[in-house]
């Protein structure tokens, strides 16, 4: 079993080191990860500057690019083979609800999924790496389970996993959840630069607005490890007919396409 491991916090982050140590005996695991912290880079690709790949003393390879760059470069030439599974994380902080749109951790996994390879993104719900050993063990449990089911040969999947920062014995079982929502972000933070210009810092993500039962927010607050299967089609299928109608004569007729 060949596993490509990446993340968005950078190749030196404790989360990817712990995850590598936890799963390295489950197959042939190769690390290709960003050189620097690339959190909130989503699926961004670097198109206007070259990418360089270097190898650290521990064998991890690192790229001066985004999480999606790492997986893209790995899959389109660097590895020279097609891995059975792409794993990302463990991220320093939650990737639940709307966070998944921005997440570089999810972005790395999604890049694998877009190439038709099953992928799993792992995050701890709190920043600071508390009980990282427990999160890595839980991640191992899940990877082992999907490999045992022969999942990589079946229809590719993309799983988003969020693990509460708790000791292993206190973590409740995996709970399959839908994404919650957090509509509002915290206010932007403005400061004055030494040159007298106003600078803006993007604020925090804000509290969950939909953390009802069945969501990832709800599951993790209860102490469960949340697992959300994701899909990538952004089409609003329910609205296709509405918009076809709304454009009236401006819309292409069915007869003429
Ligand atoms: Mn991150």
């Amino acid at each position: 079993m060949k596993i490509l491991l990446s993340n968005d916090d950078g190749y030196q982050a404790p989360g990817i080191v712990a995850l590598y140590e936890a799963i390295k005996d489950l197959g042939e695991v190769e690390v290709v990860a960003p050189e620097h912290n690339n959190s909130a880079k989503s699926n961004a690709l670097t198109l206007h500057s070259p990418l360089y790949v270097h190898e650290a003393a521990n064998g991890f390879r690192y790229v001066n690019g985004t999480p999606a760059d790492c997986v893209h470069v790995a899959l389109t030439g660097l590895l020279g083979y097609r891995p059975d599974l792409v794993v990302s994380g463990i991220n320093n902080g939650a990737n639940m609800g709307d966070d998944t749109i921005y997440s570089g951790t999810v972005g790395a996994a999604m890049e694998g999924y877009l190439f038709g390879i099953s992928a799993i993104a792992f995050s701890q719900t709190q920043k600071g790496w508390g009980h990282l050993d427990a999160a890595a063990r839980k991640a191992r449990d899940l990877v082992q389970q999907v490999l045992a089911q022969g999942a990589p040969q079946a229809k590719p999947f993309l799983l988003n996993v969020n693990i509460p920062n708790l000791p292993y014995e206190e973590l409740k079982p995996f709970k399959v959840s839908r994404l919650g929502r957090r509509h509002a972000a915290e206010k932007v933070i403005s400061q004055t630069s030494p040159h007298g210009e106003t600078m803006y810092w993007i604020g925090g993500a804000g509290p969950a607005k939909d953390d009802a039962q069945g969501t990832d927010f709800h599951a993790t607050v209860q102490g469960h490890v949340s697992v959300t299967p994701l899909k990538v089609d952004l089409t609003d299928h329910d609205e296709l007919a509405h918009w076809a109608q709304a454009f009236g004569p401006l819309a292409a007729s069915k007869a003429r396409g």
Side-chain angles (χ1 to χ4, degrees), residues 97 100 106 110 113 121 156-160 177 179 228-232:
T100 50
V106 174
M110 193 179 288
Y113 177 70
F157 58 78
L158 174 59
L159 298 181
N160 184 43
S177 312
L179 297 181
T228 304
L230 299 180
K231 62 176 183 176
V232 179

Side-chain angles (χ1 to χ4, degrees), residues 104-129:
T105 306
V106 174
M110 193 179 288
E111 190 68 8
Y113 177 70
L114 293 174
F115 275 82
I117 300 170
S118 292
I120 311 171
F122 290 103
S123 304
Q124 283 193 292
T125 55
Q126 303 290 326
K127 288 183 190 287
W129 310 114

Side-chain angles (χ1 to χ4, degrees), residues 50-62:
L51 295 169
Y52 298 94
V53 182
H54 292 103
E55 189 169 331
N58 65 356
F60 288 11
R61 281 184 280 187
Y62 57 93

Side-chain angles (χ1 to χ4, degrees), residues 135-209:
R137 273 181 73 188
K138 276 291 174 189
R140 178 196 163 84
D141 293 346
L142 194 148
V143 170
Q144 202 166 23
Q145 177 72 11
V146 300
L147 292 180
Q149 291 176 340
Q153 285 78 41
K155 184 173 170 245
F157 58 78
L158 174 59
L159 298 181
N160 184 43
V161 182
N162 282 274
I163 308 168
N165 299 57
L166 291 170
Y168 188 81
E169 295 70 25
E170 291 177 30
L171 282 167
K172 291 189 188 158
F174 294 103
K175 187 156 196 172
V176 177
S177 312
R178 68 176 174 88
L179 297 181
R181 292 298 309 271
R182 40 170 141 229
H183 306 277
E186 304 286 342
K187 202 173 182 314
V188 73
I189 300 149
S190 60
Q191 296 176 326
T192 305
S193 84
H195 306 293
E197 292 173 305
T198 304
M199 311 182 289
Y200 297 94
W201 299 85
I202 299 287
K209 287 291 167 64

Side-chain angles (χ1 to χ4, degrees), residues 8-9 37-40 91-93 95 104-105 127:
D8 76 357
D9 296 326
N37 191 325
N38 269 259
S39 296
N91 187 58
N92 185 21
N95 281 306
T105 306
K127 288 183 190 287

